[in-house]
Every structure is written in C-alpha cells, then in structure tokens.
Amino acid sequence: GEVGSDVQNILAAKLLKPGSDPALKDRLADTIQKADELIAKLQPTVDETKAVLERMQIEGQSIALQFKEAKRTKNDYNQYKMKLTNQRDKYAEAQENAAKDNDREKARRVAKIKKLVENSISMSENAAKVHGEIMKGTHSLTGVKMSENDLSDSLRKLTDELTEKQAETAELTQQYKAADSEYNQRKDILKKLLKEAENIAPMEEWRERLDQDDIPENLEGVEDALDEAENKVNSIAENPHVMRQYEERKKEIAKLQEQLDEAGGEKDMKKQQLEQKLDRWESSLINIVQDVNKKFSAYMKEVGCAGEIRLFTAGADTRRDDEGDNVRYNFKDWGVEILVKFREASTLQVLSAQTHSGGERSVSTIMYLMGLQNLMSSPFRCVDEINQGLDERNERLVFKRIVENSTLPAGSSNTDHCGQYFLITPKLLPNLDGMENENITVLFVFSGAHNFNSCLDWNVDKFIEDKKNFLSQDEEEDASNGHSKGGRRKRKSR
C-alpha cells in the first residue's frame, strides 16, 4: 500500500509546566517599584498641570463669552449702520420730492381745509335742527311731568283706598278665624257628645231600632215621645216590683261604674309605670348603641373606612295615633342601622346587599361584632369563613382586630372575660400579625381517604424521629454519591 505522513505541532506544556523564574519575578518587582517611584515623583507636576489646565479652561470659557458678545455687538453695529444708510437715503428722496411737488401739496391741503369747513357748516346746521327738536321734547316733557303729578295724586288716592280695603280684609280675616275657631270648638263638642251617645247607645246595637218607622223624624216628635215615656215611668211608680228592679239595676250600674273608674285609674297608673320603664330602658339602650358606635367607628377608621351605628325607632318620636299620644310601643319596627362609607367621595349609607360588595359587608359585620363583643359575656363565639371574600390588606387588619379583642385579660369577676373565639376557615394568609400570641391555638381538621384510622395514630414524636431518619439517609446518599464522583475524577486525571 501507500505510505503517508502526518506532522502536528505539539504545544508547550501548560498544566504540568514548572513555576515562574524567581529572578524574573524580582526584576519585575524592581521595575514596578521604580515605576511607582516615578509616578510619585511626577504626581505633583501632574496635579499642578491639571490645575493650570483647569484655569486655562475657565479663562478660555470667559474669552469665548467675550468673543461671542463682541461678535454680537459687531453684528448690531452693522445692522444699525445699514438702517442709518437707508434712513438717510429716504430722507434725501423725501427732500427731493418735497422740492418737486410743493405746489401740488399746497393745493391738496387747501382743498382738504375747504372740505373741513363745509363739514363744519353742515354740522352746525344739524346742531341747530337738533336743538329745535330738543326744545320741542322739553315742552312735551313738561306736559308729561304735569300729567305725572296728576297721576301721582290718583295713585295716592288709590293707595289710601287699598289701605282701607286691606284693613277691612284683615278684620274679615279675624272674623273668619274667630268663626273657624268657634266652629272647631263646637265640632269638638259635637264629637264628644257623639262619643257619649255612642257609649250610652252604641250605633251597631241600635241601628235596627233607629231604622224602624216608629222613630220620630223631627224634634217635636222626639219631645212628644219623651213626654209619653215620662208618663209611663210615672205610671210604673205605683208598681213596687218594678221600682225594686229599677233600684237594683241602678245599684248595679253604680257598682259597675265604680269598677270602671277603678279600672281606668289602674290603667292610667300602669301606663305611667310603663312610660317610666320605657324611658329608663330607652335611655340604657341609647347608651349601649352609643358605646357600640364609638368602637365601630374606631375599628372602621383603622381599615381606612368610616362607619356609624344608629338606633332606628321607626319615627316613634314623631308619629301620633288618633288620640294624639306618641306612638312609642311599635317595637316590632325598631332596629339598629349600620352605616358605612368605603370611598372618600361617597357618603354614609345603610349596609345592604344591593349597595355593598360581599367583602365590604364582611368587614362591616366583623367590626360590628367586635364592637358588641365587649358589652356582653359569653363562654365562646364562633364565626365561619368570615375572612372569605376579603383582599389581603383587609384580611390582615380584620385578623389583627379579632386577635386584639379575643385575647384580652380576664377581670376580677367570673363574667368579666372576653370568652373563647372560634374562627373557622379553610385558609389563612401567611405571616399574620398576632399568630405568635400564646393565647392562640391552631386546630387542624383532617379528613379524607388517606386520614388516620384512629386518633392514637397521631404521634408527634414519631413524626419527628421519622423525619430525622429520612434526613440522615439523604445525607448518607449524598456523601456516597460524592465519593463515587471523586473516584471517577481521579481515574480520569490519571
């Protein structure tokens, strides 16, 4: 076969070559030292040169500004010089034109003066005409003034008549008011009489009797019926049995009337007692609402909003019934109004699902509950997913408020405590303020297919031991993997 050859250059050894020459290192160090000494020696000169250069730059800038100003002055001078030349040329031309057209200019000016004189004469004539018209107007005005005086007299007379009519109207108004007042008084008297008549003879009971034909239709018939009834009563007086029944009935009526009066007095007393109890109860209720309002307003202010609590009485202080007394017992219509404002431009509005979002209603509700919490004693309180629908900022503020209100120290009495607070939620934000409080307990509820079969399977110590074993196994595996990789590297280097 054929014989071939291949020649390749072998590079100098780098990985296994010996170290640098010490003599070369000394020479380089000596060179560096000399260079440093030279730099130190030349440094003052360099600094001085820099200072001179800076001064020259400053002077150069100043000279450049002076040059620029001189150049601008020169340009202005040339412009003014050119303008002066133009003005001189115009002046010479004007003198030449004046010498040529002097007669024509005089004629033009004379004609202009004549025209002005004619206009002045025309204006004088017009002024005379206007003066005549002014005089005519003055005469007319004099007549108008005289007519105005006559009209003023007529107006004065009409004013006097109007004053008299107003006085008569006022008197008639007083008479009308008096008649109206008398009418109302008689109307009230008639109402009372009608009411008494209704009590004596109720309309529902006597309606059939009044509809009968034997009832008199006029006053004379009524008087005749009364006379006839008196005659019957007088005839009955001779019958002792009837009189005895009458006396017994009369006594029964008097006894019933006495019982009715006692019942009415007792009713008034009970009503007065009820009014007193209502005043005390309402005053206490208002104080409670005010206390809740102070706390609620402060809590809402902490989250950057505004809130207010009001007592709604359904107009109990303004409504009146048929008898004129205040309607104060419509407690079914009473309630508490929660007013909130979440934006600076809006106003306080009653909390409702139609106006506010779910998150806004959650914040308002929990702050209202926090305001109520300190006013009543309860062994525990429980809320479910109150933090759902809140943004991160509001959730953190709400949780902080719950922790502060629910971890207050107990007082001296058994009822002076904040009670336990159960917050049920599927999730919580990380790093919440208050989670480090020793009075907080976190309970996890485990459920599902892979849950423990028994509660005894929950062994924290065993969990920790298993975790330590798992970590130690990982460390041993990492160590063994490291050794094997190192061995391979050594074999490769050989």
Side-chain angles (χ1 to χ4, degrees), residues 187-324:
K187 184 178 179 182
D188 293 338
I189 293 172
L190 288 175
K191 284 184 177 180
K192 291 181 180 179
L193 293 175
L194 181 62
K195 191 173 182 179
E196 292 177 359
E198 180 70 19
N199 292 332
I200 296 173
M203 180 65 70
E204 297 297 332
E205 298 179 3
W206 289 83
R207 185 178 301 278
E208 296 180 359
R209 180 68 182 89
L210 293 174
D211 291 338
Q212 295 179 2
D213 296 335
D214 59 344
I215 299 299
E217 296 180 355
N218 50 33
L219 185 60
E220 294 179 355
V222 172
E223 291 178 351
D224 293 340
L226 287 174
D227 293 338
E228 184 178 356
E230 288 180 356
N231 293 329
K232 290 182 179 180
V233 170
N234 293 329
S235 63
I236 292 174
E238 297 178 357
N239 190 343
H241 180 69
V242 175
M243 289 301 297
R244 187 168 55 256
Q245 289 180 349
Y246 170 74
E247 292 296 335
E248 290 176 356
R249 294 290 177 86
K250 187 176 180 181
K251 290 179 181 180
E252 290 178 359
I253 292 173
K255 185 177 181 180
L256 292 174
Q257 184 65 39
E258 184 178 356
Q259 292 177 356
L260 181 61
D261 295 338
E262 291 178 356
E266 187 177 358
K267 176 185 176 183
D268 294 338
M269 182 179 65
K270 294 293 185 182
K271 185 177 180 181
Q272 185 177 2
Q273 293 176 354
L274 182 61
E275 290 286 343
Q276 293 175 356
K277 291 182 179 180
L278 176 60
D279 291 338
R280 292 194 297 269
W281 173 80
E282 187 175 3
S283 177
S284 177
L285 180 61
I286 291 174
N287 293 333
I288 293 174
V289 172
Q290 290 177 352
D291 291 340
V292 176
N293 176 52
K294 291 179 182 178
K295 295 182 181 297
F296 179 73
S297 299
Y299 296 160
M300 291 295 290
K301 189 176 181 181
E302 289 180 358
V303 297
C305 307
E308 184 178 340
I309 302 297
R310 296 178 185 173
L311 179 63
F312 178 72
T313 60
D317 296 334
T318 57
R319 293 172 52 191
R320 293 181 174 275
D321 59 9
D322 297 338
E323 298 180 357

Side-chain angles (χ1 to χ4, degrees), residues 13-28:
K14 294 181 180 179
L15 296 176
L16 301 178
K17 69 181 293 186
S20 301
D21 188 4
L24 179 61
K25 290 175 65 177
D26 294 339
R27 288 196 300 274
L28 291 175

